[in-house]
Each structure stands twice: as C-alpha cells, then as structure tokens.
Amino acid sequence: MKKILTSILMASALATSALAGDENTLSTAEEAAGWQLLFDGETTDGWRNYGHEDLSGDWRADGGTLTFNPGKAGDIITDATFTNFELSIDWKISKGGNSGIFFNVVEGPSYAYMTGPEYQLLDNANRDESPLEQAGALFALYAPTTDVSHPAESWNTSRLVVNGGYIEHWLNDVKVVSYDMDSDDFKNRVSASKFSPDGPNADVMKHFATARSGHIALQDHGDKIAFRNIKIKPLP
C-alpha cells in the first residue's frame, strides 16, 4: 500500500512540475488535482506567528518569496490546519543557514517544535551538523539516506507526505526519509532523544508527535531563508 501511494505521489509530483507555470500559481491541472496555494507571492495572508494573531515584520512577502530576515520574529504557522496531505515547497537558505518545516503543530506549548516534528532545512556544505540534522532529515530522529541538497542561495524543492502516521520526506525529487510515527522504531527513537516524554524535558515534550492534525510551521532559527511555491494537496 505504501509503495503504491509513493508511486502515485511521485507521478503526481512529476506531472505537477511539468505543468507548473509562473511561480506561486497553480496550473489548471493542479487545481483539478486539488492543490491549494499557501502563499500567493504578494501578501502574507494565511500566515501568523505561532501563539499570536498577527505576523512579525521580519517575515514578509518580498519579490515573490516569503522571506525571513534575521530578527526576533519567531516561528510562523498557517491559519488553517491539515490532516493527511502532500506539501510542496521551494526554499533557499543563506550560507551556513539552518531552518525547518514543522507539521501537525498544535498551539499551547511555548514553541512549535514541542508538538510538531521537523523536516530539517540546512546548508549542508557550510554547516557541520550530524547526519540527523542534515537537509531533509526528520530532525534528531531520522537521517536522510543521501545528500541531494543544493548549495546555499540556490533553490531546493522539498515535499512532505503525511498520511496518518506514515510520513515521507522528499528533497529535490529524491525520497530521503520515510517512517511511521505509530511504529515501535519511531517511539524508541523519540524516547532516546531530547523529545522523550520520559526525559528531563518531559513537561514540555509530552505532546511531541502525538497529534495527527495541525498547522504547518516555518522556523525562525536566526538565519535568512526564503520560500516560494508553497502548495498543499489534501489526501483522502
């Protein structure tokens, strides 16, 4: 079943890429397939800071990108929440930069990472991080199988497939991570990490990766990063 889903989604992605027109727009075929834009290229409508009703000025629409300029902006989240979906997003990070995309984020705890797992974004070439923190990783839990990231200041395309507890991370058309959040393997990795519900941070991590629906979040990690072509397609 998972192999079938992967094949269907890969074919969908290739068709989407071939049919896509201008940046931050949907083709007729994409609209028919159920894709939705999360960024129109001109405004920050549909986004707000985590735990707030508005959006910091350090996150702004700039030249067709949703850009974070280093400041004290905080993470941002979609107004809408999502359950099963395929997310496609282009990103370009500064030299040595670090950021991330969170999913199934639920507000309440102090930070988005306390509930939502993180698809890692990184300039691998200029950042000496462990494999668990390379671009495409599930941060601190699953390392990517290969490094297919593009250099700093170059565009990368990430895809995130969320189907119940089954998750796939794609980077530049290559599947680099897959896991099942309902599996013993996943639970054991969480228990051995800083996200452990039984560890020293149990009070703040007890909700990590427990939700199966929530907001999409983009991280303020202190480094400049730009996003475009942020698209989502609900899955049945």
Side-chain angles (χ1 to χ4, degrees), residues 6-76:
T6 296
S7 297
I8 292 173
L9 291 170
M10 188 61 183
S12 171
L14 292 173
T16 295
S17 176
L19 293 171
D22 295 337
E23 309 296 349
N24 305 308
T25 62
L26 295 176
S27 69
T28 301
E30 287 175 320
E31 290 180 346
W35 287 91
Q36 307 164 16
L37 279 178
L38 295 183
F39 173 60
D40 63 13
E42 299 178 357
T43 72
T44 56
D45 293 351
W47 295 88
R48 60 183 175 84
N49 275 93
Y50 177 85
H52 298 271
E53 296 301 319
D54 55 2
L55 186 72
S56 165
D58 291 318
W59 285 96
R60 54 181 175 268
D62 182 12
T65 68
L66 178 58
T67 298
F68 166 68
N69 290 283
K72 295 183 178 180
D75 300 341
I76 62 172

Side-chain angles (χ1 to χ4, degrees), residues 69-129:
N69 290 283
K72 295 183 178 180
D75 300 341
I76 62 172
I77 62 173
T78 54
D79 287 336
T81 58
F82 305 94
T83 306
N84 298 329
F85 61 87
E86 179 180 358
L87 176 74
S88 179
I89 183 169
D90 296 346
W91 54 278
K92 180 172 65 174
I93 201 163
S94 57
K95 184 175 181 179
N98 184 341
S99 189
I101 303 166
F102 302 99
F103 63 97
N104 291 350
V105 170
V106 179
E107 289 181 285
S110 300
Y111 299 99
Y113 75 85
M114 294 177 177
T115 60
E118 179 185 354
Y119 179 121
Q120 173 78 333
L121 308 179
L122 196 81
D123 170 22
N124 286 355
N126 294 291
R127 186 101 179 193
D128 185 18
E129 302 289 354

Side-chain angles (χ1 to χ4, degrees), residues 2 142 165-167 178-187:
K2 292 176 182 177
Y142 287 86
Y166 178 67
I167 316 295
S178 63
Y179 50 95
D180 186 343
M181 293 195 294
D182 296 319
S183 68
D184 288 340
D185 180 68
F186 181 85
K187 294 172 184 177

Side-chain angles (χ1 to χ4, degrees), residues 32 36 39 50 111 146 154 162 165 172 210 224 228:
Q36 307 164 16
F39 173 60
Y50 177 85
Y111 299 99
T146 185
S154 300
V162 177
N172 297 323
T210 59
K224 185 174 182 178
R228 70 181 185 188

Side-chain angles (χ1 to χ4, degrees), residues 147-211:
D147 179 9
V148 291
S149 63
H150 294 161
E153 304 296 347
S154 300
W155 286 105
N156 293 267
T157 298
S158 290
R159 287 200 303 124
L160 176 66
V161 180
V162 177
N163 191 29
Y166 178 67
I167 316 295
E168 293 180 355
H169 293 199
W170 293 72
L171 180 59
N172 297 323
D173 294 326
V174 177
K175 186 172 73 171
V176 293
V177 170
S178 63
Y179 50 95
D180 186 343
M181 293 195 294
D182 296 319
S183 68
D184 288 340
D185 180 68
F186 181 85
K187 294 172 184 177
N188 290 338
R189 289 175 186 242
V190 170
S191 293
S193 74
K194 72 175 186 177
F195 302 114
S196 174
D198 303 314
N201 299 317
D203 287 346
V204 295
M205 292 302 179
K206 60 185 177 182
H207 300 299
F208 175 75
T210 59

